[in-house]
């Protein structure tokens, strides 16, 4: 039977630390990083449970463990260590071929030349490898969505089904959705049929199936899934036949207890164009709102981004360390929109540090980010300047951007320019059509939706577009 000899001391330690954080005006930070549950103890050790390995790592990086151990020592006069387990269960290695398996070797058999053997992780073809729960930083704005998504991933089709995550651009909807898919795929592998798809692609596949008289094949593909991750359902507007097909797909999957996750840019109640019967289905499970992160969460996101850039060898440790804590704090305080903008500012500062080879001070950050932190820029950004920057980047002319040339060499830059113009200006689709050679507004909408979907699975394209946006904002005619 588990002992509880130190339970009262542990509870008192947590209580006192909470009061200290509250007195310092950091209660939100306490609530975010001290999510820990008492399990049992021995004479020299207390076992506690945390929600994930990521949370454990973040707690360690913020000295949470040492603060609790120190407080317990003050109360008991003894040195008691904390032992972590995940979700009240010991950490176990899966025997699935999809997991990273490290074979342990007794210490006496290891030598200086020893290297651990690692089986590479198998990647799902439709999911981004970096979109995992470990890489997502939950805060007050997203903790509900994070916990619900994790619960659904651990018990797909039963815990919460369906899940609809809605919110503005760059807040983490697609990240959480794909995290569910990556988690399930890691646990179950290819025997579990998981499909991540954008609403635009789903629509296009359905149209092709109708045109080629292969609707049965289409139905068999989607109605026999185990997990459906459908992104951006707000693009169902004016797609009545697709809505009807999705309705029947939803029913087929729901009846088989298959997990479904949807994302949208607004609450389902605001999608007046959705058929009532389909809207009812979307509302059947959890509808979760993602709001912009608060300061503490923004700061944590930036720290996590630095770790990921280092782990993926995108920048050296020497370069990343040139970004001072003051600069991180400056970005966290001034970027209050979304995660994508936060990461864009940090990447710009790290890129500056690498290219210039000097430490980034708060003064440098203020100068380099002044345009981003100023009032809305849409009025000073023109479609012509966007076309110039994009054309220059891809080594083509503005006339190529505006032309009817369909070669990918010209079509892709044109679609990217439309996407950026839609994000950085107040132009409507019909107005953009006039700026891009007099095309139909539906072509503009298609271009925007295509790039919007591509960047969700292609991190390199997302990086390129963020770079182009920064150049456009800095552009001087």
């Amino acid at each position: 039977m588990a002992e509880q000899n130190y339970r009262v001391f542990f509870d008192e330690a947590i209580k006192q630390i909470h009061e200290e954080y509250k007195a310092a005006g950091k209660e939100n930070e306490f609530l975010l990083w001290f999510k820990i549950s008492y399990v049992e103890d021995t004479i020299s050790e207390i076992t506690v449970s945390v929600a994930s390995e990521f949370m454990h790592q973040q707690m360690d990086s913020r000295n949470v463990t040492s603060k609790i151990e120190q407080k317990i020592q003050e109360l008991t006069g003894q040195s008691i260590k904390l032992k972590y387990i995940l979700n009240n269960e010991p950490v176990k290695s899966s025997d699935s071929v999809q997991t990273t398996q490290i074979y342990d070797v007794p210490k006496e058999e290891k030598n200086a030349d020893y290297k651990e053997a690692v089986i590479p992780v198998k990647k799902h073809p439709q999911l981004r490898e970096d979109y995992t729960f470990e890489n997502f930083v939950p805060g007050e704005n997203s903790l509900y969505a994070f916990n619900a998504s994790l619960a659904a991933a651990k018990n797909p089709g039963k815990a919460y089904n369906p899940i609809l995550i809605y919110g503005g651009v760059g807040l983490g909807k697609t990240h959480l959705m794909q995290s569910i898919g990556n988690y399930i795929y890691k646990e179950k592998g290819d025997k579990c049929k998981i499909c991540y798809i954008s609403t635009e692609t789903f629509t296009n596949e359905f149209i092709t199936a109708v045109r080629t008289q292969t609707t049965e094949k289409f139905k068999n593909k989607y109605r026999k899934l185990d997990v459906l991750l459908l992104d951006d359902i707000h693009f169902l507007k004016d797609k009545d036949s697709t809505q009807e097909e999705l309705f029947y797909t939803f029913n087929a999957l729901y009846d088989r207890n298959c997990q479904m996750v949807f994302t949208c840019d607004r609450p389902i109640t605001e999608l007046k164009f959705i058929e009532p019967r389909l809207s009812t289905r979307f509302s059947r499970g959890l509808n979760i709102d993602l709001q912009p992160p608060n300061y503490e969460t923004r700061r944590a996101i930036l720290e996590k981004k630095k770790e990921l850039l280092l782990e993926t060898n995108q920048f050296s440790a020497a370069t990343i360390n040139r970004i001072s804590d003051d600069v991180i704090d400056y970005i966290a305080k001034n970027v209050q929109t979304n995660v994508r903008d936060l990461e864009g500012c940090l990447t710009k500062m790290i890129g500056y540090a690498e290219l210039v080879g000097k430490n980034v001070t708060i003064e440098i950050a203020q100068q380099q980010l002044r345009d981003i932190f100023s009032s809305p820029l849409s009025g000073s950004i023109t479609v012509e300047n966007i076309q110039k920057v994009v054309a220059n980047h891809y080594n083509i002319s503005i006339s190529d951007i505006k032309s009817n040339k369909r070669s990918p060499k010209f079509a892709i830059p044109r679609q990217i320019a439309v996407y950026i113009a839609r994000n950085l200006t107040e132009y409507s689709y019909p107005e953009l059509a006039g700026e891009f050679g007099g095309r139909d507004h539906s072509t503009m909408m298609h271009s925007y939706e295509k790039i919007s979907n591509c960047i969700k699975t292609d991190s390199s394209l997302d990086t390129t577009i963020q770079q182009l946006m920064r150049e456009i904002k800095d552009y001087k005619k």
Side-chain angles (χ1 to χ4, degrees):
M1 181 177 179
E3 296 291 336
Q4 298 280 318
N5 296 322
Y6 296 115
R7 179 60 184 266
V8 64
F9 297 105
F10 176 85
D11 290 344
E12 180 61 24
I14 296 297
K15 179 182 178 182
Q16 291 188 18
I17 293 173
H18 186 184
E19 291 173 350
E20 291 171 2
Y21 271 72
K22 188 174 182 179
K26 298 181 178 180
E27 185 173 22
N28 287 337
E29 184 177 338
F30 173 87
L31 295 174
L32 182 61
W33 300 117
F34 281 77
K35 295 185 178 299
I36 185 171
S37 301
Y38 189 100
V39 179
E40 61 184 8
D41 63 54
T42 65
I43 193 170
S44 60
E45 187 177 72
I46 295 176
T47 300
V48 293
S49 177
V50 292
S52 67
E53 179 60 30
F54 168 68
M55 288 296 290
H56 177 206
Q57 293 171 356
Q58 291 296 309
M59 291 165 70
D60 267 353
S61 69
R62 289 165 173 75
N63 297 319
V64 169
T65 300
S66 60
K67 288 177 182 177
I68 296 175
E69 289 177 345
Q70 181 179 351
K71 184 64 68 174
I72 291 175
Q73 185 170 8
E74 292 175 5
L75 295 170
T76 65
Q78 300 181 55
S79 178
I80 309 295
K81 297 297 181 183
L82 295 189
K83 173 186 176 182
Y84 286 88
I85 61 176
L86 304 185
N87 297 301
N88 292 316
E89 294 182 4
V91 181
K92 297 179 180 179
S93 297
S94 170
D95 57 3
S96 168
V97 297
Q98 283 75 38
T99 60
T100 301
Q101 186 70 41
I102 299 179
Y103 298 96
D104 193 27
V105 175
K107 290 182 179 179
E108 59 271 16
E109 295 182 18
K110 294 184 179 181
N111 55 50
D113 298 324
Y114 169 75
K115 293 183 179 180
E116 292 179 325
V118 179
I119 297 177
V121 175
K122 186 175 180 181
K123 177 185 180 298
H124 188 282
Q126 298 170 332
L127 303 175
R128 279 180 55 164
E129 291 179 282
D130 56 331
Y131 277 1
T132 64
F133 289 115
E134 288 75 19
N135 290 344
F136 189 93
V137 179
E140 289 183 352
N141 65 307
S142 59
L143 191 58
Y144 178 31
F146 178 86
N147 287 336
S149 299
L150 183 59
K154 291 181 177 180
N155 199 8
K158 298 177 182 178
Y160 301 105
N161 194 36
I163 291 178
L164 172 64
I165 306 173
Y166 65 90
V169 175
L171 294 179
K173 301 186 298 295
T174 301
H175 188 145
L176 281 177
M177 168 183 273
Q178 292 202 22
S179 293
I180 294 174
N182 275 318
Y183 187 101
I184 297 173
Y185 188 68
K186 180 179 178 181
E187 293 296 313
K188 300 187 177 183
D190 291 327
K191 66 181 179 181
C192 184
K193 297 178 181 178
I194 303 170
C195 178
Y196 165 80
I197 189 170
S198 68
T199 297
E200 183 195 20
T201 302
F202 182 87
T203 300
N204 291 338
E205 282 193 26
F206 178 63
I207 293 172
T208 300
V210 172
R211 178 172 54 81
T212 58
Q213 298 182 348
T214 56
T215 53
E216 283 303 312
K217 182 178 179 181
F218 178 90
K219 293 175 182 178
N220 288 334
K221 174 182 177 180
Y222 288 103
R223 298 185 190 184
K224 293 184 178 181
L225 292 172
D226 297 304
V227 180
L228 172 62
L229 311 172
L230 185 62
D231 219 349
D232 294 335
I233 61 170
H234 46 275
F235 286 129
L236 285 170
K237 185 177 182 180
D238 300 327
K239 300 178 176 69
D240 295 340
S241 296
T242 304
Q243 289 190 39
E244 182 178 7
E245 178 58 32
L246 181 56
F247 170 77
Y248 290 116
T249 299
F250 185 107
N251 287 345
L253 296 179
Y254 190 82
D255 290 344
R256 291 176 39 239
N257 293 320
C258 301
Q259 183 65 50
M260 288 176 283
V261 185
F262 307 97
T263 68
C264 188
D265 66 353
R266 71 204 80 164
I268 194 67
T269 55
E270 295 182 12
L271 300 180
K272 304 301 182 183
F273 52 83
I274 296 288
E275 292 184 12
R277 60 178 180 172
L278 185 56
S279 179
T280 300
R281 297 312 191 271
F282 288 142
S283 303
R284 182 174 290 178
L286 285 181
N287 283 206
I288 306 171
D289 182 16
L290 275 183
Q291 293 292 329
N294 60 20
Y295 164 75
E296 289 81 8
T297 307
R298 296 196 299 271
R299 181 69 189 260
I301 288 171
L302 291 171
E303 295 292 349
K304 183 61 179 179
K305 180 66 175 179
K306 286 172 60 179
E307 293 176 14
L308 292 176
L309 290 173
L310 187 59
E311 291 173 5
T312 55
N313 296 317
Q314 295 185 47
F315 295 96
S316 68
T319 297
I320 292 177
N321 289 336
R322 290 184 181 276
I323 311 300
S324 68
D325 287 342
D326 287 343
V327 171
I328 296 296
D329 191 61
Y330 176 69
I331 295 174
K333 287 180 177 178
N334 284 276
V335 180
Q336 302 178 18
T337 50
N338 58 55
V339 177
R340 191 172 297 168
D341 290 343
L342 270 175
E343 294 179 343
C345 289
L346 176 62
T347 303
K348 180 173 183 176
M349 289 297 87
I350 294 177
Y352 177 92
E354 181 178 53
L355 294 173
V356 179
K358 59 190 295 186
N359 293 338
V360 177
T361 64
I362 189 68
E363 291 76 20
I364 291 175
Q366 290 171 342
Q367 180 185 23
Q368 293 296 315
L369 301 175
R370 64 186 184 281
D371 291 339
I372 298 176
F373 294 164
S374 63
S375 57
L377 293 160
S378 59
S380 62
I381 294 177
T382 66
V383 174
E384 182 182 6
N385 288 349
I386 292 172
Q387 292 169 339
K388 286 180 180 178
V389 172
V390 174
N392 181 64
H393 178 84
Y394 286 98
N395 198 28
I396 60 177
S397 67
I398 293 181
S399 60
D400 290 327
I401 290 276
K402 295 182 177 182
S403 73
N404 291 321
K405 298 175 182 178
R406 297 187 177 183
S407 167
K409 178 180 179 181
F410 307 111
I412 293 176
R414 182 183 306 125
Q415 291 166 344
I416 289 174
V418 171
Y419 174 85
I420 292 175
R422 183 64 175 162
N423 278 284
L424 296 186
T425 73
E426 300 296 331
Y427 277 63
S428 65
Y429 285 121
E431 289 171 335
L432 285 177
E435 296 288 334
F436 285 82
R439 288 176 168 77
D440 187 82
H441 78 277
S442 62
T443 304
M444 298 294 98
M445 186 179 298
H446 171 76
S447 296
Y448 178 85
E449 292 176 6
K450 181 174 181 179
I451 299 302
S452 179
N453 291 326
C454 286
I455 63 176
K456 292 170 183 173
T457 55
D458 187 346
S459 58
S460 62
L461 177 61
D462 189 21
T463 300
T464 297
I465 290 176
Q466 294 303 316
Q467 175 189 339
L468 288 170
M469 285 184 172
R470 291 192 293 272
E471 291 181 17
I472 290 164
K473 291 174 182 177
D474 291 335
Y475 183 85
K476 296 294 183 290
K477 188 173 180 181

